[in-house]
Amino acid sequence: LVTEIAADEVSIEKRTISNDINHELVFLFAGRMVYRKGLDLLFDAIMEIPNEWKYIVKIVGTGPEFSHLKHRCESNPLLAAHIQFMGAVQYSEMQREYELSDVIMPSIRETTGTVLIEAMSQGIPIITINKFGGAILVDENTGWLYSGENRKSYIDGLKNAMVACIVNPKEVKRRGQNARKKVKEYTCKRKVNIEDNSIEVALRYDDFDFDSRIVVTGKGKAVEISVYLDKPLPQELEGDAGFNLEFLPSQYWGKAYIMDGQPDRFPRYA
């Protein structure tokens, strides 16, 4: 799967990146607590790490799985010693959470790569599954990828990646610095047109010599989203390239939209 993912190059340059690693390594998960996010797998991986090791896992967000996960944590001294539930955090305040974290762990189904791009632009390395957006963006110089054939092997892979971070904080710092450099390969340029109430974003993928543009135009209480390809899709991407939308804030869930003349509603979960 190839998706439209990019970071704003102006925002990257404005961000101040800390060069310090926390005394207790801080892992950060941010997202809605639903089963498909794989937080139970994360908890299982933590159970395999020696209790005396110094690290913290911060979990930002809420959702249907919150009560179950909180109860599991409170019922187990090892989990309780290393996991902190931060609750819901405003999007505008997430910058501070990034600044206080050393490693980002997206959900097990991070399909679009948006969270990965955001973390990399902060100079933070990533632990993610070797599928979807992670397989495209992350390598051994910018983070840790893990794979598996069943639940046990996925847990082992995630645990091993976390252990690699805990025992070698200098490598965490090195891969974080490389992540910020690499994310500049996935930048976009924004152009705001006040006269027609639109924002245009240009994206380029050097690996495929491929350019595209996304134009969002405000029309009353609605917006029109158009995707333009300046030349045909490269043959090697036919059947694989896709366009995903992620909405912040979440009040767009359940709202109506029309695409190619067909009406529907945005689902709560994709």
Side-chain angles (χ1 to χ4, degrees):
L1 176 68
V2 178
T3 56
E4 299 277 18
I5 46 178
D8 177 37
E9 59 184 13
V10 176
S11 298
I12 294 175
E13 295 303 326
K14 286 183 178 179
R15 288 174 177 144
T16 301
I17 305 301
S18 171
N19 291 320
D20 298 327
I21 295 293
N22 290 293
H23 175 63
E24 289 186 314
L25 199 76
V26 177
F27 297 91
L28 176 66
F29 170 93
R32 186 163 173 79
M33 295 184 190
V34 294
Y35 177 77
R36 69 183 181 88
K37 297 289 186 176
L39 280 167
D40 266 315
L41 291 179
L42 171 60
F43 283 23
D44 289 342
I46 293 172
M47 291 291 296
E48 300 292 327
I49 301 174
N51 187 34
E52 63 272 16
W53 288 14
K54 295 185 180 298
Y55 71 96
I56 297 171
V57 177
K58 288 185 176 182
I59 299 179
V60 172
T62 60
E65 290 284 293
F66 176 79
S67 296
H68 156 68
L69 295 168
K70 189 75 180 294
H71 176 72
R72 182 178 176 187
C73 185
E74 292 174 344
S75 302
N76 186 289
L78 190 152
L79 294 177
H82 295 284
I83 296 175
Q84 296 179 4
F85 289 90
M86 310 303 293
V89 174
Q90 294 293 325
Y91 184 71
S92 59
E93 299 173 0
M94 276 303 298
Q95 175 65 32
R96 179 60 176 164
E97 294 300 330
Y98 283 121
E99 291 173 355
L100 296 174
S101 303
D102 300 307
V103 182
I104 298 295
M105 294 187 296
S107 71
I108 198 169
R109 288 190 61 185
E110 187 56 48
T111 56
T112 66
T114 306
V115 174
L116 310 181
I117 286 283
E118 180 65 20
M120 293 170 71
S121 69
Q122 304 283 344
I124 305 174
I126 301 157
I127 296 176
T128 189
I129 191 169
N130 192 17
K131 293 182 179 180
F132 315 122
I136 298 172
L137 295 170
V138 181
D139 57 33
E140 68 276 3
N141 288 310
T142 59
W144 289 262
L145 292 167
Y146 63 94
S147 303
E149 298 178 353
N150 51 48
R151 182 183 180 90
K152 181 63 168 62
S153 58
Y154 277 117
I155 292 170
D156 287 342
L158 178 53
K159 176 205 70 176
N160 291 337
M162 293 179 69
V163 167
C165 295
I166 296 168
V167 301
N168 194 349
K170 290 184 178 180
E171 182 65 10
V172 171
K173 179 179 177 180
R174 185 188 75 84
R175 297 195 190 195
Q177 293 171 339
N178 289 338
R180 190 162 190 256
K181 295 176 183 177
K182 183 173 182 178
V183 80
K184 293 181 180 181
E185 301 174 10
Y186 298 89
T187 57
C188 62
K189 296 181 181 295
R190 290 185 295 179
K191 182 167 61 178
V192 178
N193 190 323
I194 298 177
E195 292 182 359
D196 64 5
N197 197 27
S198 69
I199 299 176
E200 178 177 321
V201 177
L203 300 165
R204 174 168 178 78
Y205 298 92
D206 289 331
D207 290 346
F208 300 102
D209 187 26
F210 178 58
D211 298 275
S212 63
R213 293 178 293 119
I214 302 172
V215 180
V216 180
T217 305
K219 296 190 174 182
K221 293 184 178 181
V223 294
E224 179 182 86
I225 303 174
S226 303
V227 181
Y228 297 95
L229 307 183
D230 294 327
K231 61 182 180 181
L233 192 71
Q235 185 174 0
E236 58 267 40
L237 294 182
E238 291 181 5
D240 291 323
F243 176 71
N244 291 347
L245 292 177
E246 290 194 8
F247 290 100
L248 295 171
S250 58
Q251 60 250 35
Y252 288 101
W253 293 342
K255 300 297 184 181
Y257 71 90
I258 296 178
M259 179 178 290
D260 294 334
Q262 299 296 317
D264 208 332
R265 291 186 179 273
F266 292 112
R268 188 177 183 86
Y269 308 119

